[in-house]
Amino acid sequence: MLWIDCPWCGARPESEFRYGGEAHIARPDPATTDDAGWGDYLFMRSNPKGVHAERWMHREGCRRWFNALRDTVSNDVLTIYPMGTPRPDAPGDEAEGG
Amino acid sequence: MKKFSIFSLARNALSHHEHWPEQWRSPAPKPAYDVVIIGAGGHGLATAYYLAALHGITNVAVLEKGWLGGGNTGRNTTVIRSNYLWDESAALYEHSLKLWEGLAQELNYNLMFSQRGVLNLIHNVHDLQEATRRVNANRLNAVDAELLSTEEVKAFCPILNTSPKTRYPIMGGTLQRRGGNARHDAVAWGYARAADARGVDIIQNCEVTGIDVEAGRVTGVQTTQGTIAAKKVGIVVAGHSSVLAAMAGFRLPIESHPLQALVSEPLKPVLHCVIMSNGVHVYVSQSDKGELVIGAGLDPPNSYSQRGGLHTIEDQMGAIVELIPIFSRVRMMRSWAGIVDVCPDASPIIGKTPVEGLFINGGWGTGGFKATPGSGWVLAHTIATGEPHPLNAPFALDRFTSGALIDEHAAAAVAH
Ligand SMILES: Cc1cc2nc3c(=O)[nH]c(=O)nc-3n(C[C@H](O)[C@H](O)[C@H](O)COP(=O)(O)OP(=O)(O)OC[C@H]3O[C@@H](n4cnc5c(N)ncnc54)[C@H](O)[C@@H]3O)c2cc1C
Ligand SMILES: [Zn+2]
């Protein structure tokens, strides 16, 4: 089980949280985006073997959303940061995936 | 290849089984091959076998970073069935089931394939409507399927708790009698032995670290055992699909998750079929050794760590005790996880990639073991002819641009 540091409630077990998938996927304007761009937005994911930027919600606590950087090999949560802010650098932030 | 038979078994028994030959060679890689398959799981080995056996392409290497069959092939709970809702899936999985039915003879290998029946439980009105629709769709596709009442479920599998007082009462079930289980390792071993006998080189401890592309065409792979040139390359790496795609410069609609399973201490025969429940989210069968083999849902965060959380297992154990109360004091012996490659529509991707000569077979997620023969069969066809077979054409990568998804997520009677 992961151990996640909620910015408001402190460190809690993963079972209190809801996973929200990859972070920083911006919705393109459907009026000006072609099928490939829209498919990319809806379905394509970076799925790196390494550092992953992702969203979490403290479902059984404060019910607030935040972002995290996590290493998908060691499962260590490296950095917690607010939604809407750019992805910070993490130690060894070089993903193998694409 | 030394043929297994009652006579060769008897002969070797006399010499205490000490003189069986190796089942496959361990060759050093050649500098170049016609086809390189990345990944020696069941799917990769089946692809190599059918390339050699059906298409006469024998200058083939299968490269495996670990040992053959050590990925999801050796970690899965071996549920085999073909009762998928949509026509495209029914055709693909049924083709696979038909291949299973003759595979032990074809490979001269005991796969312990057992058509003991797969029972999917119904717990509410919505389940009942979905199940009725699926049974009808299956029958239209010539896939065997039956809808059972609660009483018929109880008669078929008496250890199930069919009391109306449980939290999720059993309101019926669907049964595919031709579904069942097989021995996970044996499938990989059987294909490996038969492919090797036809000249395929299976190279273990050989990790692919790069894919060489020149002017949009694949030319070979970089590996921990050096550069290997290839005219065509197939990516068949399950949970590592996105990692290999990134090496060739494209993205996939796949996320990798741990999927856990566990087994109990061995018991006398108590469960003769496969039980699956979408509603309470668990499935169970009993192996020939007597262990209960139990599995269920994914761990939500994507991960390559090959281990999952105990809370996920706790959920499925709660469900199993609710369904089959006599299991409540059985001890669990081992649990593990595999990394599965999940597509948004819970259907695989089998076909071409944006790189010429490079093919992919992945995204099988939580349910690809049952498809091992059919998956290798269609990928071999695609690699040999350069075009997909009608069975795998709908499973192309470009369905995520066209929108022609094959959405089995809600449709396919639980995830396996
Ligand atoms: C716990 C669990 C339960 C499951 N239960 C079922 C079930 O009941 N029924 C069902 O139908 N399916 C089930 N599945 C899914 C099924 O196991 C998979 O879909 C299927 O086995 C995939 O087969 P494969 O041959 O593609 O994968 P694998 O056997 O994983 O083979 C892929 C191989 O590629 C190798 N590889 C990866 N990267 C590289 C590289 N860079 N270089 C060289 N080699 C590489 C890996 O080491 C691995 O051996 C389950 C999976 C799990 C984990
Ligand atoms: Zn909180």
PDB file of all heavy atoms in Angstrom, chain A residues 45-69:
ATOM      1  N   ARG A  45      -1.585   7.974 -23.197  1.00  0.00           N
ATOM      2  CA  ARG A  45      -1.037   8.264 -21.870  1.00  0.00           C
ATOM      3  C   ARG A  45       0.462   8.014 -21.892  1.00  0.00           C
ATOM      4  O   ARG A  45       0.956   7.181 -22.645  1.00  0.00           O
ATOM      5  CB  ARG A  45      -1.695   7.356 -20.821  1.00  0.00           C
ATOM      6  CG  ARG A  45      -3.193   7.610 -20.629  1.00  0.00           C
ATOM      7  CD  ARG A  45      -3.465   8.980 -20.042  1.00  0.00           C
ATOM      8  NE  ARG A  45      -4.885   9.288 -19.887  1.00  0.00           N
ATOM      9  CZ  ARG A  45      -5.609   9.990 -20.760  1.00  0.00           C
ATOM     10  NH1 ARG A  45      -5.054  10.445 -21.868  1.00  0.00           N
ATOM     11  NH2 ARG A  45      -6.881  10.242 -20.542  1.00  0.00           N
ATOM     12  N   SER A  46       1.192   8.728 -21.032  1.00  0.00           N
ATOM     13  CA  SER A  46       2.648   8.560 -21.083  1.00  0.00           C
ATOM     14  C   SER A  46       3.086   7.276 -20.381  1.00  0.00           C
ATOM     15  O   SER A  46       4.055   6.661 -20.771  1.00  0.00           O
ATOM     16  CB  SER A  46       3.359   9.782 -20.512  1.00  0.00           C
ATOM     17  OG  SER A  46       2.846  10.102 -19.252  1.00  0.00           O
ATOM     18  N   ASN A  47       2.392   6.844 -19.338  1.00  0.00           N
ATOM     19  CA  ASN A  47       2.628   5.539 -18.699  1.00  0.00           C
ATOM     20  C   ASN A  47       4.114   5.236 -18.500  1.00  0.00           C
ATOM     21  O   ASN A  47       4.608   4.174 -18.896  1.00  0.00           O
ATOM     22  CB  ASN A  47       1.974   4.441 -19.559  1.00  0.00           C
ATOM     23  CG  ASN A  47       1.888   3.108 -18.850  1.00  0.00           C
ATOM     24  OD1 ASN A  47       1.892   3.044 -17.615  1.00  0.00           O
ATOM     25  ND2 ASN A  47       1.827   2.033 -19.614  1.00  0.00           N
ATOM     26  N   PRO A  48       4.874   6.154 -17.897  1.00  0.00           N
ATOM     27  CA  PRO A  48       6.323   5.971 -17.825  1.00  0.00           C
ATOM     28  C   PRO A  48       6.736   4.917 -16.799  1.00  0.00           C
ATOM     29  O   PRO A  48       6.056   4.725 -15.792  1.00  0.00           O
ATOM     30  CB  PRO A  48       6.824   7.347 -17.373  1.00  0.00           C
ATOM     31  CG  PRO A  48       5.697   7.882 -16.554  1.00  0.00           C
ATOM     32  CD  PRO A  48       4.434   7.386 -17.226  1.00  0.00           C
ATOM     33  N   LYS A  49       7.854   4.261 -17.086  1.00  0.00           N
ATOM     34  CA  LYS A  49       8.503   3.427 -16.073  1.00  0.00           C
ATOM     35  C   LYS A  49       9.522   4.350 -15.416  1.00  0.00           C
ATOM     36  O   LYS A  49      10.646   4.492 -15.871  1.00  0.00           O
ATOM     37  CB  LYS A  49       9.179   2.234 -16.736  1.00  0.00           C
ATOM     38  CG  LYS A  49       9.745   1.240 -15.747  1.00  0.00           C
ATOM     39  CD  LYS A  49      10.253   0.004 -16.459  1.00  0.00           C
ATOM     40  CE  LYS A  49      10.719  -1.023 -15.439  1.00  0.00           C
ATOM     41  NZ  LYS A  49      11.113  -2.285 -16.079  1.00  0.00           N
ATOM     42  N   GLY A  50       9.099   5.044 -14.379  1.00  0.00           N
ATOM     43  CA  GLY A  50       9.913   6.085 -13.769  1.00  0.00           C
ATOM     44  C   GLY A  50       8.989   7.113 -13.119  1.00  0.00           C
ATOM     45  O   GLY A  50       7.957   6.736 -12.561  1.00  0.00           O
ATOM     46  N   VAL A  51       9.344   8.382 -13.221  1.00  0.00           N
ATOM     47  CA  VAL A  51       8.572   9.401 -12.506  1.00  0.00           C
ATOM     48  C   VAL A  51       7.288   9.747 -13.268  1.00  0.00           C
ATOM     49  O   VAL A  51       7.317  10.016 -14.464  1.00  0.00           O
ATOM     50  CB  VAL A  51       9.423  10.668 -12.285  1.00  0.00           C
ATOM     51  CG1 VAL A  51       8.605  11.719 -11.549  1.00  0.00           C
ATOM     52  CG2 VAL A  51      10.671  10.322 -11.487  1.00  0.00           C
ATOM     53  N   HIS A  52       6.173   9.734 -12.557  1.00  0.00           N
ATOM     54  CA  HIS A  52       4.852   9.968 -13.141  1.00  0.00           C
ATOM     55  C   HIS A  52       4.164  11.100 -12.395  1.00  0.00           C
ATOM     56  O   HIS A  52       4.145  11.105 -11.163  1.00  0.00           O
ATOM     57  CB  HIS A  52       4.018   8.683 -13.000  1.00  0.00           C
ATOM     58  CG  HIS A  52       2.700   8.717 -13.694  1.00  0.00           C
ATOM     59  ND1 HIS A  52       1.510   8.457 -13.043  1.00  0.00           N
ATOM     60  CD2 HIS A  52       2.374   8.968 -14.984  1.00  0.00           C
ATOM     61  CE1 HIS A  52       0.509   8.536 -13.921  1.00  0.00           C
ATOM     62  NE2 HIS A  52       1.007   8.846 -15.103  1.00  0.00           N
ATOM     63  N   ALA A  53       3.647  12.072 -13.145  1.00  0.00           N
ATOM     64  CA  ALA A  53       2.861  13.155 -12.521  1.00  0.00           C
ATOM     65  C   ALA A  53       1.407  12.744 -12.534  1.00  0.00           C
ATOM     66  O   ALA A  53       0.859  12.407 -13.587  1.00  0.00           O
ATOM     67  CB  ALA A  53       3.063  14.445 -13.307  1.00  0.00           C
ATOM     68  N   GLU A  54       0.763  12.766 -11.362  1.00  0.00           N
ATOM     69  CA  GLU A  54      -0.585  12.196 -11.266  1.00  0.00           C
ATOM     70  C   GLU A  54      -1.439  12.942 -10.260  1.00  0.00           C
ATOM     71  O   GLU A  54      -0.948  13.757  -9.480  1.00  0.00           O
ATOM     72  CB  GLU A  54      -0.481  10.711 -10.875  1.00  0.00           C
ATOM     73  CG  GLU A  54       0.214  10.500  -9.530  1.00  0.00           C
ATOM     74  CD  GLU A  54       0.656   9.061  -9.307  1.00  0.00           C
ATOM     75  OE1 GLU A  54       0.865   8.331 -10.304  1.00  0.00           O
ATOM     76  OE2 GLU A  54       0.791   8.664  -8.147  1.00  0.00           O
ATOM     77  N   ARG A  55      -2.743  12.640 -10.297  1.00  0.00           N
ATOM     78  CA  ARG A  55      -3.709  13.348  -9.454  1.00  0.00           C
ATOM     79  C   ARG A  55      -4.263  12.400  -8.385  1.00  0.00           C
ATOM     80  O   ARG A  55      -4.484  11.221  -8.642  1.00  0.00           O
ATOM     81  CB  ARG A  55      -4.854  13.875 -10.322  1.00  0.00           C
ATOM     82  CG  ARG A  55      -4.349  14.660 -11.519  1.00  0.00           C
ATOM     83  CD  ARG A  55      -5.464  15.119 -12.414  1.00  0.00           C
ATOM     84  NE  ARG A  55      -6.259  14.006 -12.908  1.00  0.00           N
ATOM     85  CZ  ARG A  55      -7.385  14.150 -13.615  1.00  0.00           C
ATOM     86  NH1 ARG A  55      -7.826  15.352 -13.894  1.00  0.00           N
ATOM     87  NH2 ARG A  55      -8.049  13.102 -14.028  1.00  0.00           N
ATOM     88  N   TRP A  56      -4.473  12.941  -7.207  1.00  0.00           N
ATOM     89  CA  TRP A  56      -5.054  12.165  -6.121  1.00  0.00           C
ATOM     90  C   TRP A  56      -6.108  12.993  -5.417  1.00  0.00           C
ATOM     91  O   TRP A  56      -6.021  14.221  -5.376  1.00  0.00           O
ATOM     92  CB  TRP A  56      -3.984  11.771  -5.091  1.00  0.00           C
ATOM     93  CG  TRP A  56      -3.037  10.704  -5.561  1.00  0.00           C
ATOM     94  CD1 TRP A  56      -1.853  10.903  -6.201  1.00  0.00           C
ATOM     95  CD2 TRP A  56      -3.210   9.281  -5.429  1.00  0.00           C
ATOM     96  NE1 TRP A  56      -1.261   9.689  -6.471  1.00  0.00           N
ATOM     97  CE2 TRP A  56      -2.072   8.681  -6.012  1.00  0.00           C
ATOM     98  CE3 TRP A  56      -4.193   8.471  -4.877  1.00  0.00           C
ATOM     99  CZ2 TRP A  56      -1.894   7.304  -6.062  1.00  0.00           C
ATOM    100  CZ3 TRP A  56      -4.016   7.100  -4.917  1.00  0.00           C
ATOM    101  CH2 TRP A  56      -2.888   6.525  -5.510  1.00  0.00           C
ATOM    102  N   MET A  57      -7.085  12.308  -4.827  1.00  0.00           N
ATOM    103  CA  MET A  57      -8.104  12.995  -4.029  1.00  0.00           C
ATOM    104  C   MET A  57      -8.230  12.279  -2.689  1.00  0.00           C
ATOM    105  O   MET A  57      -8.324  11.045  -2.659  1.00  0.00           O
ATOM    106  CB  MET A  57      -9.441  12.980  -4.765  1.00  0.00           C
ATOM    107  CG  MET A  57     -10.454  13.939  -4.183  1.00  0.00           C
ATOM    108  SD  MET A  57     -11.661  13.103  -3.165  1.00  0.00           S
ATOM    109  CE  MET A  57     -12.825  12.621  -4.425  1.00  0.00           C
ATOM    110  N   HIS A  58      -8.209  13.035  -1.616  1.00  0.00           N
ATOM    111  CA  HIS A  58      -8.283  12.437  -0.282  1.00  0.00           C
ATOM    112  C   HIS A  58      -9.754  12.155   0.057  1.00  0.00           C
ATOM    113  O   HIS A  58     -10.390  12.889   0.805  1.00  0.00           O
ATOM    114  CB  HIS A  58      -7.643  13.367   0.750  1.00  0.00           C
ATOM    115  CG  HIS A  58      -7.395  12.671   2.054  1.00  0.00           C
ATOM    116  ND1 HIS A  58      -6.989  13.319   3.182  1.00  0.00           N
ATOM    117  CD2 HIS A  58      -7.504  11.355   2.407  1.00  0.00           C
ATOM    118  CE1 HIS A  58      -6.867  12.456   4.175  1.00  0.00           C
ATOM    119  NE2 HIS A  58      -7.170  11.255   3.719  1.00  0.00           N
ATOM    120  N   ARG A  59     -10.252  11.041  -0.526  1.00  0.00           N
ATOM    121  CA  ARG A  59     -11.672  10.722  -0.503  1.00  0.00           C
ATOM    122  C   ARG A  59     -12.211  10.561   0.915  1.00  0.00           C
ATOM    123  O   ARG A  59     -13.289  11.024   1.241  1.00  0.00           O
ATOM    124  CB  ARG A  59     -11.903   9.424  -1.283  1.00  0.00           C
ATOM    125  CG  ARG A  59     -13.348   9.008  -1.394  1.00  0.00           C
ATOM    126  CD  ARG A  59     -13.479   7.775  -2.256  1.00  0.00           C
ATOM    127  NE  ARG A  59     -12.559   6.721  -1.799  1.00  0.00           N
ATOM    128  CZ  ARG A  59     -12.262   5.635  -2.502  1.00  0.00           C
ATOM    129  NH1 ARG A  59     -12.784   5.459  -3.686  1.00  0.00           N
ATOM    130  NH2 ARG A  59     -11.437   4.725  -2.021  1.00  0.00           N
ATOM    131  N   GLU A  60     -11.456   9.882   1.768  1.00  0.00           N
ATOM    132  CA  GLU A  60     -11.967   9.635   3.125  1.00  0.00           C
ATOM    133  C   GLU A  60     -11.346  10.587   4.129  1.00  0.00           C
ATOM    134  O   GLU A  60     -11.197  10.259   5.315  1.00  0.00           O
ATOM    135  CB  GLU A  60     -11.743   8.171   3.505  1.00  0.00           C
ATOM    136  CG  GLU A  60     -12.776   7.289   2.831  1.00  0.00           C
ATOM    137  CD  GLU A  60     -12.366   5.840   2.715  1.00  0.00           C
ATOM    138  OE1 GLU A  60     -11.748   5.326   3.658  1.00  0.00           O
ATOM    139  OE2 GLU A  60     -12.670   5.225   1.675  1.00  0.00           O
ATOM    140  N   GLY A  61     -10.954  11.776   3.652  1.00  0.00           N
ATOM    141  CA  GLY A  61     -10.402  12.786   4.550  1.00  0.00           C
ATOM    142  C   GLY A  61     -10.990  14.129   4.154  1.00  0.00           C
ATOM    143  O   GLY A  61     -12.199  14.305   4.174  1.00  0.00           O
ATOM    144  N   CYS A  62     -10.127  15.020   3.703  1.00  0.00           N
ATOM    145  CA  CYS A  62     -10.573  16.376   3.382  1.00  0.00           C
ATOM    146  C   CYS A  62     -11.286  16.481   2.042  1.00  0.00           C
ATOM    147  O   CYS A  62     -11.828  17.518   1.712  1.00  0.00           O
ATOM    148  CB  CYS A  62      -9.369  17.321   3.403  1.00  0.00           C
ATOM    149  SG  CYS A  62      -8.120  16.827   2.199  1.00  0.00           S
ATOM    150  N   ARG A  63     -11.267  15.407   1.239  1.00  0.00           N
ATOM    151  CA  ARG A  63     -11.909  15.355  -0.077  1.00  0.00           C
ATOM    152  C   ARG A  63     -11.359  16.405  -1.036  1.00  0.00           C
ATOM    153  O   ARG A  63     -12.069  16.886  -1.917  1.00  0.00           O
ATOM    154  CB  ARG A  63     -13.434  15.478   0.040  1.00  0.00           C
ATOM    155  CG  ARG A  63     -14.047  14.380   0.878  1.00  0.00           C
ATOM    156  CD  ARG A  63     -15.539  14.300   0.737  1.00  0.00           C
ATOM    157  NE  ARG A  63     -15.957  13.997  -0.622  1.00  0.00           N
ATOM    158  CZ  ARG A  63     -15.953  12.776  -1.161  1.00  0.00           C
ATOM    159  NH1 ARG A  63     -15.571  11.746  -0.439  1.00  0.00           N
ATOM    160  NH2 ARG A  63     -16.358  12.590  -2.398  1.00  0.00           N
ATOM    161  N   ARG A  64     -10.109  16.759  -0.870  1.00  0.00           N
ATOM    162  CA  ARG A  64      -9.511  17.725  -1.791  1.00  0.00           C
ATOM    163  C   ARG A  64      -8.532  17.039  -2.744  1.00  0.00           C
ATOM    164  O   ARG A  64      -7.904  16.038  -2.398  1.00  0.00           O
ATOM    165  CB  ARG A  64      -8.801  18.818  -1.005  1.00  0.00           C
ATOM    166  CG  ARG A  64      -9.821  19.693  -0.273  1.00  0.00           C
ATOM    167  CD  ARG A  64      -9.298  21.069  -0.114  1.00  0.00           C
ATOM    168  NE  ARG A  64      -8.809  21.266   1.235  1.00  0.00           N
ATOM    169  CZ  ARG A  64      -8.334  22.422   1.678  1.00  0.00           C
ATOM    170  NH1 ARG A  64      -8.279  23.473   0.889  1.00  0.00           N
ATOM    171  NH2 ARG A  64      -7.908  22.523   2.917  1.00  0.00           N
ATOM    172  N   TRP A  65      -8.393  17.634  -3.925  1.00  0.00           N
ATOM    173  CA  TRP A  65      -7.502  17.106  -4.960  1.00  0.00           C
ATOM    174  C   TRP A  65      -6.115  17.744  -4.854  1.00  0.00           C
ATOM    175  O   TRP A  65      -5.994  18.895  -4.437  1.00  0.00           O
ATOM    176  CB  TRP A  65      -8.055  17.408  -6.345  1.00  0.00           C
ATOM    177  CG  TRP A  65      -9.213  16.545  -6.750  1.00  0.00           C
ATOM    178  CD1 TRP A  65     -10.536  16.812  -6.556  1.00  0.00           C
ATOM    179  CD2 TRP A  65      -9.145  15.287  -7.432  1.00  0.00           C
ATOM    180  NE1 TRP A  65     -11.303  15.794  -7.076  1.00  0.00           N
ATOM    181  CE2 TRP A  65     -10.479  14.841  -7.622  1.00  0.00           C
ATOM    182  CE3 TRP A  65      -8.102  14.485  -7.899  1.00  0.00           C
ATOM    183  CZ2 TRP A  65     -10.789  13.642  -8.263  1.00  0.00           C
ATOM    184  CZ3 TRP A  65      -8.416  13.294  -8.539  1.00  0.00           C
ATOM    185  CH2 TRP A  65      -9.745  12.878  -8.713  1.00  0.00           C
ATOM    186  N   PHE A  66      -5.107  17.010  -5.251  1.00  0.00           N
ATOM    187  CA  PHE A  66      -3.757  17.559  -5.369  1.00  0.00           C
ATOM    188  C   PHE A  66      -2.986  16.712  -6.372  1.00  0.00           C
ATOM    189  O   PHE A  66      -3.438  15.637  -6.784  1.00  0.00           O
ATOM    190  CB  PHE A  66      -3.051  17.580  -4.004  1.00  0.00           C
ATOM    191  CG  PHE A  66      -3.019  16.237  -3.319  1.00  0.00           C
ATOM    192  CD1 PHE A  66      -1.968  15.356  -3.521  1.00  0.00           C
ATOM    193  CD2 PHE A  66      -4.064  15.841  -2.476  1.00  0.00           C
ATOM    194  CE1 PHE A  66      -1.944  14.114  -2.918  1.00  0.00           C
ATOM    195  CE2 PHE A  66      -4.045  14.592  -1.870  1.00  0.00           C
ATOM    196  CZ  PHE A  66      -2.990  13.728  -2.081  1.00  0.00           C
ATOM    197  N   ASN A  67      -1.817  17.187  -6.767  1.00  0.00           N
ATOM    198  CA  ASN A  67      -0.957  16.433  -7.684  1.00  0.00           C
ATOM    199  C   ASN A  67       0.217  15.808  -6.933  1.00  0.00           C
ATOM    200  O   ASN A  67       0.611  16.305  -5.868  1.00  0.00           O
ATOM    201  CB  ASN A  67      -0.386  17.345  -8.775  1.00  0.00           C
ATOM    202  CG  ASN A  67      -1.426  17.692  -9.827  1.00  0.00           C
ATOM    203  OD1 ASN A  67      -2.504  17.097  -9.860  1.00  0.00           O
ATOM    204  ND2 ASN A  67      -1.105  18.660 -10.664  1.00  0.00           N
ATOM    205  N   ALA A  68       0.780  14.780  -7.510  1.00  0.00           N
ATOM    206  CA  ALA A  68       1.962  14.149  -6.917  1.00  0.00           C
ATOM    207  C   ALA A  68       2.891  13.668  -8.016  1.00  0.00           C
ATOM    208  O   ALA A  68       2.444  13.352  -9.123  1.00  0.00           O
ATOM    209  CB  ALA A  68       1.546  12.966  -6.047  1.00  0.00           C
ATOM    210  N   LEU A  69       4.179  13.640  -7.708  1.00  0.00           N
ATOM    211  CA  LEU A  69       5.129  12.904  -8.542  1.00  0.00           C
ATOM    212  C   LEU A  69       5.435  11.603  -7.817  1.00  0.00           C
ATOM    213  O   LEU A  69       5.744  11.615  -6.626  1.00  0.00           O
ATOM    214  CB  LEU A  69       6.433  13.693  -8.733  1.00  0.00           C
ATOM    215  CG  LEU A  69       6.360  15.006  -9.507  1.00  0.00           C
ATOM    216  CD1 LEU A  69       7.760  15.606  -9.630  1.00  0.00           C
ATOM    217  CD2 LEU A  69       5.750  14.809 -10.889  1.00  0.00           C
TER     218      LEU A  69
END
